[in-house]
Amino acid sequence: MSGTSGRGLPADSGDGTRAVRAGLPEPVKHEPALPGPVFAAHYHLPGEVTGPYGYGRDDNPTWTLLERAIGELEAPGQDGVETLVFASGMAATSSVLFSQLSAGDAVVLPSDGYQALPLVRAQLEAYGIEVRTAPTAGDAQLDVLDGAKLLWIETPSNPGLDVCDIRRLAEAAHARGALVAVDNTLATPLGQRPLELGADFSVASGTKQLTGHGDILLGYVTGLDAKTMAAVRRWRKIVGAISGPMEAWLAHRSIATLHMRVDRQNANALKVAEALRDWPEEIGVRYPGLPGDPSYKIASQQMRHSGCVVSFTLPTRTRADRFLDALRLVDNATSFGGVRSTAERRGRWGGDAVPEGFIRFSVGAEDPDDLVADVLRALEESAH
């Protein structure tokens, strides 16, 4: 069963212990600790259909181990937790929205969320689903919650880094009969655990910091209710948005270093944010772990780590482009969460309500002094 580990890690295990050992099978003499990927479209299946593995679109032993590992990180010690992995974060997102909503239902989305959400909105509305939006900050989604069937939360929001009170919104949503899904991509399960805060689903793109090397696409959904998760599983079967076994194996292998990467990248992100805050220009630095940030109070109450993304806004598009060109240790690339630092002028994609000079900076695992020096030098060069 997905989410149940034969290892039986104690619920109070530390993050490092859990990340290193999550999802591992019972040890068998002469067998590897983490079995290699299983490449199979079909399995031997004589007679009646019994057992977990019959066809490759439904289940795979490599998925099973990864799903157990993620479940142990998202909801340690909880009975009945189930995780399903998908081909990408958007596949996971779509599975929750389209498996739980029908024509005539209403859903609340963040107006400042991931830039693909407007595409999702258009498709939901085409299916006769009412879509309401409100910003993440100030728990503003509460104002449009009445009568909704599902509340979708993204906290911290991408790319603006606003934070909302998950527990407060979940309690309000449940009181109104609505389900709650939280996009946990930026925080990771080591940063916050939405299910412990009352959410029904924790959804994420495993492409980002969960796996951390920028070499696979992956998504997942974790939940505690068998009925709602059965609908998500059915959607995955219908759509076929499944992870390849190699990607699943690489993801599981990468999770073993998640705690080290999170510790290093979060510490680096705070140093970069502090350096940007102290820069003589006012550039609107945002980082949930930075004292004085609008998100700091709530983030410090519900998050154990503040994430690896910092944002700031340079005066013009030209200045932002000059800054990015001047960086030597930071790649100009999209996505976030990798061990190698990346940054981009987010407005180049469209879909995000950000100024032309807005920079989303994903802080990697490089030496912090080297990173800070590179950023400050690039700021100085780009100013002239």
Side-chain angles (χ1 to χ4, degrees):
M1 174 70 73
S2 297
T4 304
S5 172
R7 288 288 188 164
L9 287 174
D12 59 354
S13 295
D15 284 347
T17 301
R18 192 168 298 283
V20 167
R21 308 205 69 85
L24 296 181
E26 292 287 356
V28 176
K29 188 175 182 179
H30 305 308
E31 294 293 325
L34 177 62
V38 174
F39 298 98
H42 61 267
Y43 306 85
H44 290 296
L45 195 64
E48 296 300 319
V49 178
T50 59
Y53 306 112
Y55 186 60
R57 189 180 68 248
D58 298 326
D59 280 295
N60 179 289
T62 310
W63 302 352
T64 299
L65 296 180
L66 173 61
E67 289 169 344
R68 288 176 179 173
I70 294 173
E72 289 169 11
L73 296 177
E74 284 279 359
Q78 295 198 47
D79 294 330
V81 62
E82 183 175 4
T83 293
L84 297 169
V85 294
F86 290 81
S88 68
M90 281 307 301
T93 295
S94 299
S95 76
V96 173
L97 291 169
F98 292 105
S99 71
Q100 305 302 318
L101 297 168
S102 303
D105 291 335
V107 61
V108 177
L109 301 179
S111 58
D112 54 344
Y114 179 53
Q115 56 99 10
L117 285 182
L119 299 175
V120 174
R121 174 177 185 166
Q123 193 61 55
L124 289 166
E125 291 175 336
Y127 288 162
I129 297 166
E130 178 189 353
V131 179
R132 308 169 189 168
T133 62
T136 299
D139 299 343
Q141 289 173 298
L142 286 172
D143 297 335
V144 294
L145 191 53
D146 286 350
K149 186 175 181 182
L150 176 68
L151 168 63
W152 186 274
I153 296 169
E154 186 177 301
T155 181
S157 62
N158 172 28
L161 303 181
D162 281 320
V163 168
C164 61
D165 187 330
I166 295 174
R167 190 180 298 279
R168 181 188 181 202
L169 270 80
E171 289 175 353
H174 290 156
R176 293 165 171 81
L179 295 168
V180 178
V182 176
D183 185 331
N184 204 34
T185 302
L186 203 148
T188 81
L190 299 193
Q192 69 188 7
R193 294 179 181 142
L195 300 181
E196 292 183 355
L197 296 170
D200 300 288
F201 303 99
S202 183
V203 187
S205 168
T207 308
K208 312 299 194 297
Q209 195 173 19
L210 184 81
T211 56
H213 294 82
D215 52 9
I216 60 173
L217 292 176
L218 190 86
Y220 70 85
V221 180
T222 301
L224 295 170
D225 180 75
K227 182 178 179 180
T228 55
M229 288 302 293
V232 175
R233 179 182 288 275
R234 180 173 179 271
W235 181 264
R236 183 178 71 173
K237 179 181 178 73
I238 292 169
V239 176
I242 58 173
S243 171
M246 191 66 192
E247 286 81 359
W249 184 84
L250 284 170
H252 198 171
R253 183 202 63 172
S254 298
I255 285 174
T257 62
L258 177 61
H259 63 296
M260 293 184 286
R261 292 185 281 106
V262 164
D263 286 348
R264 176 62 175 242
Q265 289 177 253
N266 286 204
N268 282 0
L270 181 59
K271 288 184 177 294
V272 169
E274 290 170 340
L276 291 167
R277 177 198 59 193
D278 296 338
W279 182 252
E281 293 177 272
E282 174 52 53
I283 53 175
V285 181
R286 295 297 309 274
Y287 181 63
L290 190 65
D293 186 274
S295 295
Y296 180 77
K297 181 178 179 180
I298 297 175
S300 62
Q301 293 169 355
Q302 72 185 18
M303 298 182 71
R304 293 174 298 136
H305 299 281
S306 300
C308 63
V309 176
V310 178
S311 71
F312 56 100
T313 304
L314 295 175
T316 65
R317 172 176 177 168
T318 301
R319 172 75 184 283
D321 287 337
R322 287 202 304 266
F323 167 76
L324 294 168
D325 288 343
L327 291 167
R328 296 172 184 166
L329 298 180
V330 182
D331 295 333
N332 190 336
T334 194
S335 197
F336 59 85
V339 291
R340 291 174 289 277
S341 292
T342 61
E344 69 172 334
R345 190 180 61 79
R346 191 62 187 163
R348 65 182 176 173
W349 294 100
D352 290 316
V354 295
E356 286 289 340
F358 182 94
I359 301 292
R360 186 179 70 180
F361 194 114
S362 174
V363 183
E366 298 90 350
D367 187 288
D369 292 337
D370 292 340
L371 271 180
V372 169
D374 192 39
V375 169
L376 296 181
R377 180 194 51 74
L379 282 172
E380 177 66 30
E381 288 184 11
S382 67
H384 304 293

